[in-house]
Amino acid sequence: MSPQLRRQMIVRSTLALIAEHGLAVTTRQVARAAGINEATIFQVFADKHELLNACMAEAARCDDVLRELADIPLGASVTARLLAAAGALETYLMRMGTVVAYLEAVGHTRARRESTASTAGMREVREAVESVVASLAALLAPEEGSLRLPPLQIAQAYFDLLFARSRELDRPLCDSQLPDLVQLLVHGALVAGSPRR
């Protein structure tokens, strides 16, 4: 097996175990799930932090969600477009939220912030998120002239809101809440005709 395939197999096995077992995942379990010796993990990855960075990068891969966002018709209402975008992002954000919650719980994100070497390793994550946010901004292009803020800024706020909810594994954003959330984003907090202060 090529080193690239072995690396991919280890990362995918780790992600599957994180999704299934959360904080209880060990490198021994990863090795067993991948059908390899535990020492092989550390022949492929320098340390556990490098493995976890690779897991985060894999969780952030966004090819599928970018295609789904691009397929949302710009002729639909902005509300319909944002609801469709939330649907397209649901699985992606849950996958990322689960991995981020796990990494934070095991102290990986704190260690990553303290390591300058890890910063370069997380470039793929930043680029993936930036691509998704840019695709969300493109969905707002028809309304650009009537928006209070630039489309990219609104798209980033919407992404952040949906992502924050996806990390609350015990209280995920349910379908019935999405229309209210989108209405709030599109129309603001005040009811039409309310006196402004």
Side-chain angles (χ1 to χ4, degrees):
M1 180 181 294
S2 74
Q4 183 60 30
L5 278 177
R6 188 177 305 261
R7 179 183 177 88
Q8 203 172 58
M9 181 179 63
I10 292 169
V11 167
R12 288 188 178 153
S13 296
T14 305
L15 284 173
L17 287 168
I18 288 172
E20 186 178 341
H21 299 289
L23 303 181
V25 176
T26 65
T27 52
R28 179 173 292 146
Q29 286 176 305
V30 171
R32 193 175 319 123
I36 57 173
N37 186 302
E38 190 174 1
T40 304
I41 294 171
F42 299 105
Q43 292 169 354
V44 177
F45 296 96
D47 55 27
K48 191 171 182 180
H49 288 297
E50 186 181 325
L51 168 60
L52 294 176
N53 281 343
C55 287
M56 190 62 220
E58 180 66 23
R61 286 178 47 118
C62 61
D63 304 337
D64 292 343
V65 77
L66 290 179
R67 279 192 292 277
E68 286 185 55
L69 291 172
D71 287 343
I72 296 171
L74 294 180
S77 72
V78 66
T79 301
R81 278 178 267 147
L82 290 173
L83 283 171
L89 286 167
E90 183 179 21
T91 302
Y92 177 72
L93 291 175
M94 287 304 291
R95 180 177 70 222
M96 282 186 55
T98 300
V99 173
V100 168
Y102 169 79
L103 296 181
E104 285 179 346
V106 297
H108 177 67
T109 52
R110 184 181 65 252
R112 193 179 71 222
R113 281 192 296 271
E114 294 165 2
S115 164
T116 53
S118 288
T119 305
M122 294 306 289
R123 183 175 39 251
E124 300 105 343
V125 175
R126 281 192 308 277
E127 290 172 356
V129 169
E130 287 169 5
S131 296
V132 171
V133 170
S135 291
L136 284 172
L139 291 175
L140 298 169
E143 285 75 32
E144 187 164 8
S146 55
L147 297 173
R148 293 175 195 234
L149 296 171
L152 199 59
Q153 202 171 340
I154 295 170
Q156 184 67 61
Y158 189 49
F159 179 90
D160 291 346
L161 185 59
L162 292 173
F163 183 62
R165 293 297 306 226
S166 74
R167 292 175 62 192
E168 295 182 31
L169 302 178
D170 59 332
R171 201 172 59 116
L173 186 65
C174 67
D175 291 343
S176 65
Q177 294 170 311
L178 277 173
D180 290 339
L181 180 66
V182 170
Q183 290 299 326
L184 182 65
L185 184 67
V186 172
H187 301 291
L190 295 177
V191 182
S194 295
R196 295 184 183 264
R197 297 184 186 249

